[in-house]
Amino acid sequence: MKYVVLMASLPPLGSLFEATAPPISRLKLESRLGLLEAADLQTLEQIAHLIAWPTRPLERTDAAFIEEAHRFLASNRSPTLRRLVTQRLELRTIVAAFRRRRRGESQPPTGEVWGFGAWVGLIERNWSAPTFQLEVIFPWVRQAHDLLEKDDLVGFETLQFSVVWAMLNRLEFGHTFDFEALIIYLARWSLVSRWSCYNGDIAVTRFRELVDAGLGNHKEILSSASQ
C-alpha cells in the first residue's frame, strides 16, 4: 500500500531529452521518501552507491568495489534490481574500456580487476577490435566507437544517456506500484535532472579527465545519494 501511495504522488517524468527541468524537485522527492522503512532506504542507498561508482572512498580498489557489488547481487532477492545494477556496471565497464584504449592502452589491463560482469573476458580477448566484438550483444557499441572516432564526445555522452534510459524502460515492465518501480523512477529522475542542466563543453572536459581515470565515470545518483 505504501508504494501505491508513494508512486501515485510522483509526477510523470516525460521523455528524457525534452526535459528542461525535473517535474519534481529533489527536496520534494526526498520528502516523499520519508514513507519508506529503514530496510528500503538501506537498499536504496546500496544501489545508489553501486551505481555512483566514483563516490567510493579513494582508498578502496576497484576489486573491493566489485566484490561489494557481487555481495549485493547475491543477497538481494529482486531479479529486476539485480539486473539494474548488473546492466549499469556492465555499461560502465564497456565505457571504461573505450576510455582506456583512447588514452593509448594498446593491451587490456593485466594484474588488476578493472571491470565488472560477463563481458570482461570478451573485451580483453578482443581489445584491438573496434567494438570489442560486442556489437551483436550491444548494438549501441558500434555507434559509440564511431562517435569516438569522430571525436564527438558530446554525442558519446548523449548516447550513454539514451542507452541507460532504454535499459530502464525495459526494466519497468511488470512494475507499477512496487519498490522496483520506485527505484526505476529515481534512476530516471536522476537522468532527467542531469540532462536538464547538461552542458556540452563541461561534458567534453569531463570526458577528457575521465580518460585518465580508468573505470571512474560521471556520477549518477538515486535520490538520497546526491551529487
Side-chain angles (χ1 to χ4, degrees):
M1 183 64 180
K2 62 184 176 182
Y3 294 119
V4 174
V5 174
L6 180 52
M7 293 303 298
S9 74
L10 299 175
L13 292 172
S15 61
L16 173 59
F17 295 118
E18 295 178 358
T20 57
I24 182 173
S25 69
R26 182 187 299 275
L27 183 62
K28 290 182 179 179
L29 187 56
E30 291 178 346
S31 176
R32 300 286 200 281
L33 296 180
L35 294 172
L36 295 180
E37 297 177 358
D40 294 333
L41 285 172
Q42 182 179 14
T43 300
L44 170 60
E45 290 171 359
Q46 286 177 318
I47 294 172
H49 174 70
L50 290 171
I51 290 176
W53 188 307
T55 64
R56 72 189 188 279
L58 293 177
E59 67 272 11
R60 296 184 65 205
T61 64
D62 285 342
F65 180 85
I66 291 171
E67 182 179 349
E68 180 181 340
H70 284 299
R71 285 199 300 270
F72 171 82
L73 295 174
S75 63
N76 190 277
R77 297 182 178 181
S78 168
T80 298
L81 296 184
R82 291 199 301 268
R83 283 197 298 272
L84 188 153
V85 170
T86 297
Q87 290 174 2
R88 292 292 288 275
L89 295 186
E90 287 179 342
L91 170 62
R92 294 285 181 91
T93 296
I94 296 168
V95 171
F98 275 121
R99 286 181 173 142
R100 283 177 176 269
R101 198 169 62 185
R102 185 178 177 84
R103 73 180 181 186
E105 296 186 21
S106 59
Q107 299 292 330
T110 57
E112 64 175 290
V113 177
W114 67 274
F116 173 92
W119 313 112
V120 172
L122 181 63
I123 293 170
E124 291 178 340
R125 291 191 299 273
N126 297 280
W127 191 260
S128 60
T131 63
F132 307 105
Q133 299 295 347
L134 287 170
E135 66 270 23
V136 174
I137 306 163
F138 304 108
W140 60 266
V141 173
R142 169 58 65 179
Q143 185 180 357
H145 169 266
D146 293 344
L147 289 168
L148 289 177
E149 284 293 294
K150 295 185 294 186
D151 204 36
D152 185 356
L153 304 185
V154 173
F156 184 75
E157 288 259 324
T158 303
L159 175 63
Q160 290 179 69
F161 276 91
S162 299
V163 170
V164 174
W165 190 263
M167 285 179 181
L168 295 171
N169 285 343
R170 291 191 294 270
L171 289 170
E172 183 185 33
F173 182 76
H175 299 288
T176 305
F177 296 109
D178 56 13
F179 186 54
E180 288 83 353
L182 174 62
I183 295 294
I184 292 167
Y185 183 95
L186 294 174
R188 281 179 170 156
W189 182 94
S190 171
L191 291 177
V192 170
S193 177
R194 289 183 52 233
W195 178 256
S196 66
C197 60
Y198 187 76
N199 182 295
D201 292 336
I202 293 175
V204 170
T205 300
R206 179 170 62 241
F207 180 92
R208 296 193 189 283
E209 291 172 347
L210 290 173
V211 163
D212 296 326
L215 188 52
N217 203 321
H218 53 269
K219 182 177 178 182
E220 295 179 298
I221 61 163
L222 284 173
S223 184
S224 56
S226 60
Q227 58 184 358

